[in-house]
Amino acid sequence: MIYSQFQQSPFQTRFSGVKGWMAFAIGLAVITLTLIALPFVLLIGAVSFILLSLFGRLFLKRQLARFRQQEQGAYGTKQGEGEVEREPQIFRERPFSSGRPQPTPHQGRTFEHDPS
């Protein structure tokens, strides 16, 4: 027969006997270990995320307090020496505290629509 090589599946001889059973056992072991280890990996990830977020929050709070203390120290020494350096206007005003929107100057052009 001309197509005799297609009558037998090539996978039949490749994965039969000891090789087939070993491949099956290794695959089963990998799947089992993955399913057992996955909850622990997710738990460790969640706990580490919580710890990092808390540590970051405390660290940033400490850094902000240190920055403000240095800023106050710098302004305190300048005012104590007689040099009164005023803060820029942009840092003193609070545009969102009044509750009213600030008017902005009109920019650009407005063209009327002519339907005809």
Side-chain angles (χ1 to χ4, degrees):
M1 183 180 239
I2 253 176
Y3 298 107
S4 63
Q5 68 265 23
F6 297 115
Q7 286 182 352
Q8 196 175 24
S9 175
F11 295 109
Q12 215 170 17
T13 57
R14 190 177 294 170
F15 293 116
S16 63
V18 178
K19 281 186 182 178
W21 284 109
M22 287 300 291
F24 175 72
I26 290 172
L28 195 63
V30 167
I31 290 172
T32 305
L33 288 175
T34 303
L35 290 176
I36 290 173
L38 186 63
F40 293 110
V41 169
L42 292 176
L43 181 68
I44 289 170
V47 168
S48 63
F49 177 74
I50 290 170
L51 289 176
L52 281 174
S53 64
L54 287 176
F55 173 74
R57 192 177 172 101
L58 293 174
F59 178 75
L60 287 177
K61 194 179 288 186
R62 191 178 306 136
Q63 289 295 101
L64 184 62
R66 187 180 300 160
F67 173 73
R68 286 184 178 162
Q69 184 180 11
Q70 287 176 354
E71 192 177 62
Q72 289 296 329
Y75 283 128
T77 56
K78 285 183 182 176
Q79 289 176 356
E81 293 172 356
E83 296 178 18
V84 178
E85 186 174 316
R86 300 183 58 86
E87 290 184 31
Q89 183 73 15
I90 193 167
F91 293 119
R92 280 188 285 135
E93 67 183 23
R94 295 180 172 207
F96 300 114
S97 63
S98 65
R100 289 176 287 171
Q102 298 291 329
T104 58
H106 178 69
Q107 295 177 348
R109 297 186 198 176
T110 304
F111 294 100
E112 293 293 327
H113 177 65
D114 188 14
S116 59

